[in-house]
Coordinates of all heavy atoms in Angstrom, one line a residue:
D644 N -13.2 -17.9 -54.8 CA -12.8 -16.5 -54.7 C -11.7 -16.1 -55.6 O -11.6 -15.1 -56.2 CB -12.5 -16.2 -53.1 CG -13.6 -16.3 -52.2 OD1 -14.7 -16.0 -52.7 OD2 -13.3 -16.5 -51.0
L645 N -10.8 -17.0 -55.7 CA -9.6 -16.9 -56.5 C -10.0 -16.7 -58.0 O -9.4 -15.9 -58.8 CB -8.6 -17.9 -56.4 CG -7.7 -17.9 -55.0 CD1 -6.9 -19.3 -54.9 CD2 -6.9 -16.8 -55.0
N646 N -11.0 -17.4 -58.3 CA -11.6 -17.4 -59.8 C -12.7 -16.5 -60.1 O -13.4 -16.4 -61.1 CB -11.8 -18.8 -60.2 CG -10.7 -19.7 -60.4 OD1 -10.1 -19.7 -61.5 ND2 -10.3 -20.4 -59.3
S647 N -13.1 -15.7 -58.9 CA -14.2 -14.7 -59.0 C -15.5 -15.4 -59.4 O -16.2 -14.8 -60.4 CB -13.8 -13.5 -60.0 OG -12.6 -13.0 -59.6
V648 N -15.8 -16.5 -59.0 CA -17.1 -17.2 -59.3 C -17.8 -17.3 -58.0 O -17.4 -17.9 -57.1 CB -16.8 -18.6 -59.9 CG1 -18.2 -19.3 -60.1 CG2 -16.0 -18.6 -61.1
K649 N -19.0 -16.6 -58.0 CA -19.8 -16.5 -56.8 C -20.5 -18.0 -56.5 O -20.6 -18.8 -57.3 CB -21.0 -15.6 -57.0 CG -20.7 -14.2 -57.2 CD -21.8 -13.2 -57.5 CE -21.3 -11.9 -57.6 NZ -22.5 -10.9 -57.8
L650 N -20.7 -18.0 -55.2 CA -21.2 -19.4 -54.6 C -22.5 -19.7 -55.2 O -22.9 -20.9 -55.5 CB -21.3 -19.4 -53.2 CG -21.7 -20.6 -52.3 CD1 -20.7 -21.8 -52.7 CD2 -21.7 -20.4 -50.9
R651 N -23.3 -18.7 -55.7 CA -24.6 -19.0 -56.2 C -24.7 -19.6 -57.6 O -25.6 -20.1 -58.0 CB -25.4 -17.6 -56.3 CG -25.8 -16.9 -54.9 CD -26.6 -15.7 -55.1 NE -25.8 -14.7 -55.7 CZ -25.0 -13.8 -55.1 NH1 -24.8 -14.0 -53.9 NH2 -24.4 -12.9 -55.8
Q652 N -23.5 -19.5 -58.2 CA -23.3 -20.2 -59.5 C -23.0 -21.7 -59.3 O -21.9 -22.0 -58.9 CB -22.2 -19.5 -60.2 CG -21.9 -20.2 -61.7 CD -23.1 -20.3 -62.5 OE1 -23.9 -19.2 -62.8 NE2 -23.6 -21.4 -62.9
P653 N -23.9 -22.6 -59.7 CA -23.6 -24.0 -59.7 C -22.4 -24.5 -60.5 O -22.3 -23.8 -61.7 CB -24.9 -24.7 -60.0 CG -26.0 -23.7 -59.9 CD -25.2 -22.3 -60.2
L654 N -21.5 -25.4 -60.2 CA -20.5 -26.0 -60.9 C -20.8 -27.4 -61.2 O -21.6 -28.1 -60.5 CB -19.1 -25.7 -60.2 CG -18.7 -24.3 -60.0 CD1 -17.4 -24.2 -59.3 CD2 -18.8 -23.5 -61.2
L655 N -20.1 -27.9 -62.2 CA -20.5 -29.3 -62.6 C -19.9 -30.2 -61.5 O -20.6 -31.2 -61.2 CB -19.8 -29.6 -64.0 CG -20.2 -30.9 -64.6 CD1 -21.6 -31.0 -64.8 CD2 -19.3 -31.1 -65.9
S656 N -18.7 -30.1 -61.1 CA -18.0 -31.1 -60.2 C -16.9 -30.5 -59.3 O -16.4 -29.5 -59.5 CB -17.5 -32.3 -60.9 OG -16.4 -31.9 -61.8
A657 N -16.7 -31.3 -58.3 CA -15.5 -31.1 -57.3 C -14.8 -32.4 -57.2 O -15.4 -33.3 -56.7 CB -16.0 -30.3 -56.1
K658 N -13.5 -32.3 -57.2 CA -12.7 -33.5 -56.8 C -11.9 -33.2 -55.5 O -11.6 -32.1 -55.2 CB -11.7 -33.8 -57.8 CG -12.3 -34.4 -59.1 CD -11.1 -34.8 -60.1 CE -11.7 -35.4 -61.4 NZ -10.6 -35.7 -62.4
Y659 N -11.9 -34.2 -54.6 CA -11.1 -34.1 -53.3 C -10.2 -35.3 -53.1 O -10.5 -36.5 -53.5 CB -12.0 -33.9 -52.1 CG -12.8 -35.0 -51.8 CD1 -12.4 -35.8 -50.7 CD2 -14.1 -35.4 -52.4 CE1 -13.2 -37.0 -50.3 CE2 -14.7 -36.6 -52.1 CZ -14.3 -37.3 -51.0 OH -15.0 -38.4 -50.5
G660 N -9.2 -35.0 -52.3 CA -8.4 -36.1 -51.9 C -8.4 -36.3 -50.3 O -9.4 -36.8 -49.8
F661 N -7.3 -35.9 -49.8 CA -7.3 -35.9 -48.2 C -7.4 -37.3 -47.7 O -8.4 -37.6 -47.0 CB -8.2 -34.9 -47.7 CG -8.2 -33.6 -48.0 CD1 -9.1 -33.0 -48.9 CD2 -7.1 -32.7 -47.7 CE1 -9.1 -31.7 -49.4 CE2 -7.1 -31.5 -48.2 CZ -8.1 -30.9 -49.0
G662 N -6.5 -38.3 -47.9 CA -6.6 -39.6 -47.3 C -6.8 -40.7 -48.3 O -7.1 -40.5 -49.4
K663 N -6.9 -41.9 -47.7 CA -7.1 -43.1 -48.5 C -8.5 -43.4 -49.0 O -8.6 -44.1 -50.0 CB -6.4 -44.3 -47.8 CG -4.9 -44.1 -47.5 CD -4.4 -45.3 -46.7 CE -2.9 -45.2 -46.5 NZ -2.3 -46.2 -45.6
N664 N -9.5 -43.0 -48.2 CA -10.8 -43.5 -48.4 C -11.8 -42.3 -48.7 O -11.5 -41.1 -48.1 CB -11.3 -44.3 -47.2 CG -10.4 -45.4 -46.8 OD1 -10.2 -46.2 -47.7 ND2 -10.0 -45.5 -45.6
A665 N -12.8 -42.7 -49.5 CA -13.7 -41.6 -49.7 C -14.7 -41.5 -48.5 O -14.8 -42.3 -47.7 CB -14.6 -42.0 -50.9
L666 N -15.3 -40.3 -48.5 CA -16.3 -40.1 -47.4 C -17.5 -40.7 -47.8 O -17.8 -41.1 -49.0 CB -16.6 -38.5 -47.3 CG -15.4 -37.6 -46.8 CD1 -15.6 -36.3 -47.1 CD2 -15.2 -37.9 -45.4
D667 N -18.5 -40.9 -46.8 CA -19.8 -41.5 -47.1 C -20.6 -40.6 -48.1 O -20.3 -39.3 -48.1 CB -20.6 -41.7 -45.7 CG -20.0 -42.6 -44.8 OD1 -19.3 -43.4 -45.3 OD2 -20.3 -42.5 -43.6
K668 N -21.4 -41.2 -48.8 CA -22.3 -40.5 -49.8 C -23.0 -39.2 -49.2 O -23.1 -38.2 -49.8 CB -23.3 -41.4 -50.5 CG -23.8 -40.7 -51.7 CD -22.7 -40.6 -52.7 CE -23.3 -40.0 -54.0 NZ -22.1 -39.6 -55.0
E669 N -23.5 -39.4 -47.9 CA -24.3 -38.4 -47.3 C -23.3 -37.2 -47.0 O -23.9 -36.0 -47.1 CB -24.9 -38.9 -46.0 CG -26.1 -38.0 -45.4 CD -26.8 -38.8 -44.3 OE1 -26.5 -40.0 -44.0 OE2 -27.7 -38.1 -43.7
L670 N -22.2 -37.5 -46.6 CA -21.2 -36.4 -46.3 C -20.8 -35.7 -47.7 O -20.7 -34.5 -47.7 CB -19.9 -36.9 -45.7 CG -20.3 -37.3 -44.1 CD1 -19.1 -38.0 -43.6 CD2 -20.5 -36.2 -43.3
E671 N -20.7 -36.5 -48.7 CA -20.4 -35.9 -50.0 C -21.5 -35.0 -50.4 O -21.3 -34.0 -51.1 CB -20.1 -37.0 -51.0 CG -18.7 -37.7 -50.8 CD -18.4 -38.5 -51.9 OE1 -19.2 -39.0 -52.7 OE2 -17.2 -38.9 -52.1
N672 N -22.7 -35.5 -50.2 CA -23.9 -34.6 -50.5 C -23.9 -33.3 -49.8 O -24.3 -32.2 -50.4 CB -25.3 -35.4 -50.3 CG -25.4 -36.5 -51.2 OD1 -24.9 -36.6 -52.2 ND2 -26.3 -37.5 -50.7
I673 N -23.4 -33.3 -48.5 CA -23.3 -32.0 -47.8 C -22.2 -31.1 -48.4 O -22.5 -30.0 -48.7 CB -22.9 -32.3 -46.3 CG1 -24.0 -33.0 -45.5 CG2 -22.4 -31.0 -45.6 CD1 -23.7 -33.3 -44.1
I674 N -21.1 -31.7 -48.9 CA -20.1 -31.0 -49.6 C -20.7 -30.3 -50.9 O -20.6 -29.1 -51.2 CB -18.9 -31.8 -50.0 CG1 -18.2 -32.3 -48.7 CG2 -17.9 -31.0 -50.9 CD1 -17.0 -33.3 -48.9
A675 N -21.4 -31.2 -51.6 CA -22.0 -30.7 -52.9 C -23.0 -29.5 -52.7 O -22.9 -28.6 -53.5 CB -22.7 -31.7 -53.6
D676 N -23.7 -29.7 -51.6 CA -24.7 -28.6 -51.4 C -24.0 -27.3 -50.8 O -24.3 -26.2 -51.2 CB -25.6 -29.0 -50.3 CG -26.8 -28.1 -50.1 OD1 -27.4 -27.7 -51.0 OD2 -27.0 -27.8 -48.8
E677 N -22.9 -27.5 -50.0 CA -22.2 -26.3 -49.5 C -21.4 -25.6 -50.5 O -21.4 -24.3 -50.5 CB -21.2 -26.8 -48.4 CG -21.8 -27.0 -47.0 CD -22.4 -25.6 -46.4 OE1 -21.6 -24.7 -46.4 OE2 -23.5 -25.7 -45.9
I678 N -20.9 -26.2 -51.4 CA -19.9 -25.6 -52.5 C -20.7 -25.4 -53.8 O -20.2 -24.9 -54.8 CB -18.6 -26.3 -52.6 CG1 -18.7 -27.7 -53.2 CG2 -18.0 -26.4 -51.3 CD1 -17.4 -28.4 -53.5
N679 N -22.0 -25.9 -53.8 CA -22.9 -25.7 -55.0 C -22.3 -26.4 -56.3 O -22.0 -25.6 -57.2 CB -23.2 -24.3 -55.3 CG -24.4 -24.0 -56.2 OD1 -25.0 -25.0 -56.5 ND2 -24.5 -22.8 -56.7
V680 N -22.0 -27.7 -56.2 CA -21.7 -28.5 -57.4 C -22.6 -29.6 -57.6 O -23.3 -30.1 -56.6 CB -20.1 -29.0 -57.1 CG1 -19.2 -27.9 -57.0 CG2 -20.1 -30.0 -56.0
E681 N -22.6 -30.1 -58.9 CA -23.5 -31.2 -59.2 C -23.1 -32.4 -58.7 O -23.9 -33.4 -58.3 CB -23.6 -31.2 -60.7 CG -24.2 -29.9 -61.4 CD -25.6 -29.9 -61.2 OE1 -26.4 -30.7 -61.8 OE2 -26.1 -28.9 -60.5
S682 N -21.8 -32.8 -58.6 CA -21.2 -34.0 -58.2 C -19.9 -33.7 -57.4 O -19.2 -32.8 -57.7 CB -21.1 -35.0 -59.2 OG -20.1 -34.5 -60.1
V683 N -19.6 -34.6 -56.4 CA -18.5 -34.7 -55.7 C -17.7 -36.0 -56.0 O -18.3 -37.1 -55.7 CB -18.6 -34.5 -54.2 CG1 -17.4 -34.6 -53.3 CG2 -19.4 -33.1 -54.0
I684 N -16.4 -35.9 -56.3 CA -15.8 -37.1 -56.8 C -14.4 -37.3 -55.9 O -13.7 -36.3 -55.7 CB -15.3 -37.1 -58.2 CG1 -16.6 -36.8 -59.1 CG2 -14.5 -38.3 -58.6 CD1 -16.2 -36.3 -60.4
F685 N -14.3 -38.5 -55.2 CA -13.0 -38.8 -54.5 C -11.9 -39.1 -55.5 O -12.1 -40.1 -56.3 CB -13.2 -39.9 -53.5 CG -12.0 -40.3 -52.8 CD1 -11.5 -39.4 -51.8 CD2 -11.4 -41.5 -53.0 CE1 -10.3 -39.8 -51.1 CE2 -10.3 -41.9 -52.4 CZ -9.7 -41.1 -51.3
D686 N -10.7 -38.5 -55.3 CA -9.6 -39.0 -56.0 C -8.4 -39.1 -55.2 O -7.9 -38.0 -54.6 CB -9.3 -37.9 -57.1 CG -8.3 -38.3 -58.2 OD1 -7.4 -39.2 -57.8 OD2 -8.2 -37.6 -59.2
A687 N -8.0 -40.3 -54.9 CA -6.9 -40.5 -53.9 C -5.5 -40.0 -54.4 O -4.6 -39.8 -53.6 CB -6.7 -42.0 -53.7

Side-chain angles (χ1 to χ4, degrees):
D644 290 341
L645 288 172
N646 288 274
S647 301
V648 178
K649 294 179 179 179
L650 183 59
R651 292 184 295 279
Q652 174 59 60
L654 299 177
L655 189 62
S656 66
K658 290 183 180 179
Y659 72 95
F661 305 109
K663 297 179 180 179
N664 301 312
L666 293 165
D667 292 342
K668 195 63 182 175
E669 197 171 353
L670 290 168
E671 288 189 342
N672 290 340
I673 291 176
I674 295 173
D676 188 49
E677 279 291 315
I678 66 177
N679 196 12
V680 296
E681 298 287 292
S682 64
V683 174
I684 304 163
F685 174 71
D686 187 342

